């Protein structure tokens, strides 16, 4: 066990996870806890919170990647920030174990703990998926996917091998939820924009495929709107394969299965596979002594206090967001729980903070979290969208405006809102940015090449290209 870094000796509210819920819990507590002689400590592997609904627009080139993240130290000036990963929580000892980037570990004692570690990408044991695919959960993945698309388009424009060219110009997304549909829509817009600028490519050269295991996409909207979205995507040349599951991805060869009769649904090759088929609670939930339900989420009560497993609550233990099974008292949530989205996370964070102050300092009354969904809106590329805000069915430009209006307001901090809106205005005036940034995975390669060293392959690098570079020295 490494020596514990210098941390405040004051009574601590420890927040595990600095995503949407964690950031807002800290913002609502930090000054009030400080005034009462305590300290709020936020622990997260990243020094920022990512506004995930904007990841598809990063891929599409409408928003600068840094503008969708909110720096913890900049916007939580009265909190203690620890960049590290919580790997264990022992509430019986009121202690959390943190692992830093260099692998060292230390313990942090607390008076109250708030579990807001969020969710990670849910994957299945599909052969080759880990090597061939990329998720859409982090800003790094969005940037990498964008560069991968631009790289494949440029490379294909000079290829003479028909098979390799077809593979480079084939783009697949697995998962037909909001994230998958928004991602493939922005990808199509980006691909279309790039091809227009390259005379060696034609729009008909690109193949874009959406793969969904269920018979319907976007469960957040009604059946009629989901059908309309499928028709809209098809009108843009996107193939939509419903009732189809990915069975294998070894070597970039996607093998498909028909989910209705479990028959072979064919296969095709691609250099770009995006996985957006759901999320899972952060694994730290199972590294605690809190009760965890069958989906791996921490059990909490309607007051956002962690359950003791016997109908009561654990003193000093709180939870909100995607890592917790929060009861949906409106009865609308699947399985009786709130769906994992930003709409719930920010409201849960505010209620949790108020309840914690009520229990710890006797300020106000403890209340149950109740929020009826305001509906959902999705962007389908520039000027296109779908949604049902407040029960009103929207599509096209009105839905797109509602999408940008809602998420522009929901983006944390005025500073970040201003940067995002500025990006949108610039893209309207000058068009989307289609400039790739090369070599992000291995920025040391140019220096290695100059020094005569061995180049390091990146995730999507073609080994033949690297061999060619070595042999030309």
């Amino acid at each position: 066990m490494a020596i514990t870094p210098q941390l405040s000796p004051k009574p601590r509210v420890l927040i595990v996870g600095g995503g949407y819920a964690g950031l807002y819990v800290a913002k609502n507590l930090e000054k009030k806890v400080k005034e009462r002689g305590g300290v709020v400590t936020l622990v997260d592997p990243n020094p920022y919170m990512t506004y995930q609904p904007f990841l598809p627009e990063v891929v599409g080139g409408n928003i600068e990647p840094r503008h969708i993240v909110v720096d913890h130290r900049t916007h939580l000036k009265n909190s203690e920030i620890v960049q590290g990963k919580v790997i264990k929580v022992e509430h019986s000892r009121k202690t959390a174990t943190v692992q830093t980037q260099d692998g060292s570990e230390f313990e942090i004692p607390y008076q109250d703990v708030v579990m807001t570690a969020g969710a990670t990408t849910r994957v299945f044991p599909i052969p080759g998926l880990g090597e061939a695919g990329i998720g859409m959960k982090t800003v790094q993945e969005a940037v990498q996917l964008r560069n991968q698309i631009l790289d494949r388009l440029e490379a294909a424009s000079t290829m003479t091998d028909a098979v390799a060219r077809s593979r480079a110009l084939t783009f697949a997304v697995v998962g037909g939820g909001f994230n998958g549909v928004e991602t493939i829509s922005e990808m199509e817009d980006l691909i279309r924009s790039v091809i227009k600028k390259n005379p060696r490519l034609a729009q008909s050269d690109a193949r874009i495929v959406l793969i969904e295991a269920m018979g319907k996409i976007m469960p957040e909207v009604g059946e009629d709107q989901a059908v309309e979205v499928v028709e809209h995507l098809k009108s843009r040349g996107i193939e939509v394969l419903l009732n189809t599951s990915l069975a294998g991805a070894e070597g970039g060869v996607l093998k498909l299965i028909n989910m209705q009769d479990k028959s072979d649904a064919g296969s095709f090759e691609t250099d770009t596979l995006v996985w957006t088929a759901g999320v899972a609670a952060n694994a730290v939930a199972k590294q605690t002594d809190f009760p965890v339900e069958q989906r791996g989420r921490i059990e909490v009560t309607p007051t956002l206090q962690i359950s003791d497993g016997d109908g009561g609550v654990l003193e000093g233990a709180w939870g909100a967001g995607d890592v917790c099974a929060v009861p949906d008292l409106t009865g609308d949530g699947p399985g009786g729980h709130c769906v994992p989205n930003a709409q719930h996370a920010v409201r849960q964070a505010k209620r949790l903070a108020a309840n914690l102050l009520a229990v710890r300092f006797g300020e106000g009354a403890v209340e149950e979290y109740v929020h009826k969904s305001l509906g959902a809106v999705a962007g389908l590329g520039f000027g296109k969208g779908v949604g049902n805000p407040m029960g009103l069915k929207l599509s096209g430009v009105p839905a797109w405006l509602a999408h940008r209006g809602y998420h522009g307001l929901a983006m944390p901090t005025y500073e970040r809102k201003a940067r995002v809106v500025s990006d949108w205005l610039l893209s309207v005036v000058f068009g989307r940015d289609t400039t790739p940034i090369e070599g992000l995975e291995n920025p040391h390669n140019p220096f290695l090449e100059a020094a005569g060293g061995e180049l390091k392959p990146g995730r999507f690098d073609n080994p033949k290209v690297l061999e060619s570079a070595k042999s030309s020295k």
Side-chain angles (χ1 to χ4, degrees):
M1 184 75 66
I3 297 176
T4 303
Q6 282 192 325
L7 298 174
S8 172
K10 298 177 181 178
R12 173 175 288 106
V13 177
L14 176 65
I15 301 175
V16 180
Y20 213 121
L23 175 72
Y24 272 94
V25 169
K27 283 179 67 66
N28 281 278
L29 284 179
E30 59 175 2
K31 289 183 179 180
K32 294 177 181 178
V33 170
K34 182 179 180 180
E35 290 169 358
R36 289 152 185 79
V39 63
V40 169
T41 301
L42 184 145
V43 182
D44 193 279
N46 293 314
Y48 52 77
M49 165 266 185
T50 302
Y51 190 67
Q52 294 177 3
F54 282 153
L55 290 175
E57 293 209 49
V58 170
V59 175
N62 291 315
I63 300 179
E64 159 67 31
R66 288 179 301 169
H67 295 171
I68 74 164
V69 300
V70 180
D71 180 61
H72 290 148
R73 295 189 187 278
T74 299
H75 297 283
L76 295 174
K77 291 184 172 64
N78 293 290
S79 294
E80 185 178 56
I81 307 299
V82 177
Q83 189 175 347
K85 181 180 181 180
V86 173
I87 58 174
K88 184 192 300 183
V89 177
E90 297 175 80
H91 193 64
S92 59
R93 298 175 53 226
K94 290 204 168 183
T95 301
T97 303
V98 177
Q99 184 180 71
T100 61
Q101 290 180 326
D102 63 4
S104 62
E105 298 178 6
F106 59 90
E107 293 185 341
I108 299 181
Y110 61 80
Q111 184 178 51
D112 292 276
V113 66
V114 180
M115 300 300 297
T116 53
T120 58
T121 301
R122 181 185 64 179
V123 295
F124 302 106
I126 299 173
L129 176 60
E131 294 73 27
I134 187 170
M136 187 46 53
K137 191 70 177 166
T138 69
V139 68
Q140 296 96 320
E141 288 174 322
V143 171
Q144 181 62 41
L145 174 58
R146 170 181 166 75
N147 286 329
Q148 159 72 2
I149 293 169
L150 296 174
D151 174 80
R152 292 295 81 201
L153 289 170
E154 182 61 32
S157 72
T158 55
M159 286 180 179
T160 56
D161 185 312
V163 174
R165 191 172 192 271
S166 174
R167 179 182 170 119
L169 292 172
T170 299
F171 307 89
V173 174
V174 178
F178 260 46
N179 190 13
V181 172
E182 288 188 315
T183 297
I184 203 166
S185 297
E186 289 289 349
M187 287 172 60
E188 192 276 335
D189 267 5
L190 176 64
I191 291 166
R192 184 174 295 275
S193 296
V194 173
I195 289 178
K196 282 182 180 178
K197 298 177 181 179
N198 192 327
R200 296 189 297 272
L201 296 174
Q203 298 294 344
S204 58
D205 294 335
R207 183 185 182 190
I208 308 171
V209 186
L210 177 65
I211 302 167
E212 168 55 45
M214 305 298 289
K216 171 182 178 294
I217 65 171
M218 304 180 76
E220 300 87 346
V221 301
E223 182 72 33
D224 56 340
Q225 285 189 297
V227 171
E228 289 176 6
V229 173
V230 169
E231 293 305 314
H232 167 78
L233 295 177
K234 289 181 177 179
S235 72
R236 294 165 61 176
I238 298 173
E239 297 177 39
V240 181
L241 306 180
L242 300 178
N243 296 307
T244 304
S245 178
L246 181 66
E250 291 179 297
V253 179
L254 307 192
K255 298 180 180 179
L256 308 178
I257 290 180
N258 185 309
M259 293 300 291
Q260 293 179 310
D261 58 13
K262 305 302 180 181
S263 63
D264 182 359
S267 64
F268 63 90
E269 295 186 35
T270 179
D271 287 338
T272 308
L273 170 62
V274 188
W275 180 268
T276 64
V279 297
N282 193 299
V284 72
K286 295 182 179 179
Q287 304 304 317
T288 71
D289 48 6
F290 300 133
V292 175
E293 46 92 82
Q294 60 183 2
R295 294 185 60 185
R297 298 175 297 181
I298 297 171
E299 295 181 3
V300 301
T301 66
T303 57
L304 302 173
Q305 293 168 280
I306 295 178
S307 169
D308 64 2
D310 291 318
V313 299
L314 294 171
E315 187 275 332
W318 305 81
D322 300 355
V323 76
C324 296
V326 180
D328 187 345
L329 299 185
T330 68
D332 294 336
H337 296 108
C338 296
V339 297
N341 62 23
Q343 186 179 144
H344 280 298
V346 65
R347 290 170 173 81
Q348 289 170 12
K350 293 178 180 178
R351 174 43 49 201
L352 188 157
N355 284 351
L356 190 153
L357 291 172
V359 170
R360 181 58 61 193
F361 303 109
E363 301 177 6
V366 176
E367 298 180 16
E368 296 181 335
Y369 172 74
V370 183
H371 171 66
K372 188 169 182 63
S373 175
L374 301 176
V377 285
L380 303 178
F382 187 82
K384 303 174 283 287
V386 66
N388 52 12
M390 306 300 288
L392 180 63
K393 293 182 179 180
L394 298 177
S395 62
V397 173
W400 175 71
L401 291 173
H403 171 265
R404 288 204 162 178
Y406 171 76
H407 288 295
L409 291 172
M411 180 72 197
T413 79
Y414 290 112
E415 177 250 349
R416 259 11 191 192
K417 293 181 198 291
R419 293 183 187 275
V420 167
V421 172
S422 296
D423 287 341
W424 283 339
L425 293 174
L426 290 172
S427 68
V428 170
V429 175
F430 299 109
R432 72 180 64 244
D433 191 339
T434 58
T435 307
I437 303 297
E438 301 287 352
L440 286 179
E441 285 206 337
N442 288 303
H444 195 209
N445 270 353
F447 187 78
L448 280 174
E449 186 175 12
E454 183 174 348
L455 302 186
K456 299 177 181 178
R459 180 184 182 89
F460 294 106
D461 279 339
N462 186 330
K464 292 181 180 179
V465 174
L466 294 179
E467 287 298 325
S468 175
K470 292 177 189 177
S471 62
S472 65
K473 291 179 183 178

